[in-house]
Amino acid sequence: MKQAGIIIEAEHGQVKETSLGVITLAAKTADFLTALVMDGITHEITEQLAEYGIHTIVDLSLPEAPAIRLNPAVRATAVVQAARELNLDRVLGLSSPEGKDLLPRVAALLDAPLVMDCVDVDLNTGLAKTSQYSGKVMAQIQLTGETLVFGVRPNAVPPEPRPVPAKTVVMTENKAVPENITLLSWDNGDSEGRPSLVEADIIIAGGRGLKNKDNFSLIIDCAEKLNAAPGASRVAVDEGWVPYALQVGQTGEKVSPQVYIACGISGSIQHFAGMKTAKMIIAVNKDENAAIMANCDYQVSGDLFDILPEIMKQL
Ligand SMILES: Cc1cc2nc3c(=O)[nH]c(=O)nc-3n(C[C@H](O)[C@H](O)[C@H](O)COP(=O)(O)OP(=O)(O)OC[C@H]3O[C@@H](n4cnc5c(N)ncnc54)[C@H](O)[C@@H]3O)c2cc1C
């Protein structure tokens, strides 16, 4: 009987779609699913978790004060305490910015093997599927050990409802603040209410073809109309047009939206490493021989400075 603990990410009092996807993935091969919730439980969160197949909801009841609650060492310790107490032999979370900070700490404290950026896992056998070498190969990685930890690529698995009766448990152990990490500040970024890059169903990204920072507002405006997240190639980031948080690729975020619209991006292997698992890729480019044009679902051939305003008009 595999007992999976799933670290839940929530926002505005709701479980993120991407976390529900992790539950759906875990439900394929685990017998018993436990949700580990760190930032407070609402009625809506409880209902969502039961709707998607969670048997036990654990409220880790971290202190309200952000300096303690958001301290990654405090969070990792809370997860590990729950995993030990509840005999969770599989721990899963998102390969999101938070997960990338948290899961390696959890794995280290549990002395367990970890694989990040999984697109599939079998919790019975410990086999994980993950992209490696900038997306050049899809690797199957076999983890061995009593307890295994997996980071799942956001949006790799669409959530599917699977209602079960869920019970809630509150764990109130003292969450001591470690002396070696002090959280000085927390910046939620300036996404201005837009969906985050790793969560978004639609991403519209810009590259060198935008030519300068002012023109990048075309991408931001289109993103707002589409309720999409704006993204960028490394060139756009290196040029200082947008912050690094928007970079997609090998050294940026790995994203799997339903639709990825690449504007003025050539489609380097390093960029592809971050978005090749998008369900649909649309390329807007004036060079028909650009690599992205051969690796997309829809080509829009032409000057983005004509095409984007036209799309805005149509929207
Ligand atoms: C170790 C390493 C890690 C890297 N990590 C990343 C990463 O994480 N993410 C990333 O993106 N890159 C990364 N890179 C950089 C990568 O190799 C490319 O240099 C980069 O992706 C190119 O960005 P681009 O497509 O915006 O620019 P370019 O390759 O210069 O392409 C610009 C495109 O815009 C088109 N264009 C120009 N004007 C217009 C117009 N008016 N209308 C329509 N189309 C137009 C051109 O035809 C061209 O195809 C990395 C490189 C290295 C070495």
Side-chain angles (χ1 to χ4, degrees):
M1 286 260 294
K2 294 303 168 207
Q3 308 252 7
I6 299 154
I7 300 169
I8 300 298
E9 290 192 23
E11 202 173 44
H12 312 307
Q14 287 208 334
V15 179
K16 291 182 182 174
E17 287 275 307
T18 44
S19 264
L20 295 175
V22 179
I23 299 173
T24 298
L25 176 62
K28 287 203 294 181
T29 47
D31 307 293
F32 198 84
L33 305 184
T34 297
L36 306 172
V37 184
M38 280 184 270
D39 300 304
I41 292 187
T42 61
H43 178 65
E44 215 166 347
I45 288 181
T46 310
E47 286 203 329
Q48 274 181 296
L49 293 173
E51 172 74 14
Y52 282 85
I54 290 290
H55 302 96
T56 301
I57 301 166
V58 179
D59 180 356
L60 293 172
S61 54
L62 294 186
E64 285 258 330
I68 303 175
R69 184 169 54 84
L70 300 176
N71 185 313
V74 173
R75 293 170 89 77
T77 308
V79 169
V80 168
Q81 274 176 355
R84 290 210 175 108
E85 214 157 293
L86 302 168
N87 296 320
L88 305 175
D89 46 16
R90 305 289 183 259
V91 178
L92 296 92
L94 283 165
S95 271
S96 58
E98 177 180 345
K100 284 179 198 162
D101 193 10
L102 182 62
L103 290 168
R105 295 174 195 279
V106 168
L109 290 171
L110 287 169
D111 195 18
L114 160 77
V115 62
M116 294 295 282
D117 210 25
C118 304
V119 293
D120 198 10
V121 294
D122 184 326
L123 298 176
N124 273 318
T125 59
L127 203 59
K129 208 167 156 191
T130 170
S131 69
Q132 300 275 302
Y133 303 118
S134 306
K136 285 198 201 81
V137 293
M138 199 48 91
Q140 304 240 49
I141 298 185
Q142 176 70 62
L143 299 191
T144 50
E146 259 180 48
T147 308
L148 313 177
V149 184
F150 302 92
V152 178
R153 179 180 282 207
N155 287 325
V157 183
E160 280 169 28
R162 183 176 159 272
V164 292
K167 65 171 183 186
T168 302
V169 176
V170 180
M171 296 188 83
T172 52
E173 283 76 16
N174 186 23
K175 287 14 185 238
V177 185
E179 284 173 7
N180 57 350
I181 297 184
T182 307
L183 189 69
L184 298 178
S185 66
W186 183 267
D187 185 352
N188 276 330
D190 60 351
S191 60
E192 294 164 16
R194 289 188 294 266
S196 81
L197 195 56
V198 290
E199 302 289 325
D201 278 342
I202 307 175
I203 294 173
I204 177 160
R208 197 195 306 269
L210 268 299
K211 296 194 171 40
N212 62 45
K213 186 175 179 161
D214 286 347
N215 291 339
F216 210 90
S217 61
L218 270 175
I219 297 290
I220 307 285
D221 292 347
C222 257
E224 252 151 42
K225 286 256 183 194
L226 289 163
N227 192 27
S233 73
R234 178 160 156 181
V235 168
V237 173
D238 285 351
E239 292 288 336
W241 303 342
V242 289
Y244 169 69
L246 264 56
Q247 185 179 318
V248 173
Q250 180 186 333
T251 44
E253 290 297 346
K254 315 276 187 299
V255 297
S256 295
Q258 294 298 320
V259 182
Y260 189 89
I261 309 169
C263 306
I265 292 177
S266 61
S268 65
I269 187 128
Q270 293 90 356
H271 191 78
F272 254 97
M275 40 64 84
K276 64 186 287 186
T277 52
K279 314 295 176 292
M280 180 195 289
I281 299 171
I282 302 172
V284 179
N285 203 301
K286 67 179 183 185
D287 176 6
E288 286 184 9
N289 296 318
I292 193 136
M293 296 299 247
N295 289 295
C296 65
D297 299 288
Y298 293 96
Q299 303 178 347
V300 184
S301 193
D303 192 322
L304 66 86
F305 293 105
D306 297 329
I307 292 161
L308 290 187
E310 187 56 34
I311 290 176
M312 292 283 282
K313 222 189 287 169
Q314 298 288 331
L315 287 169

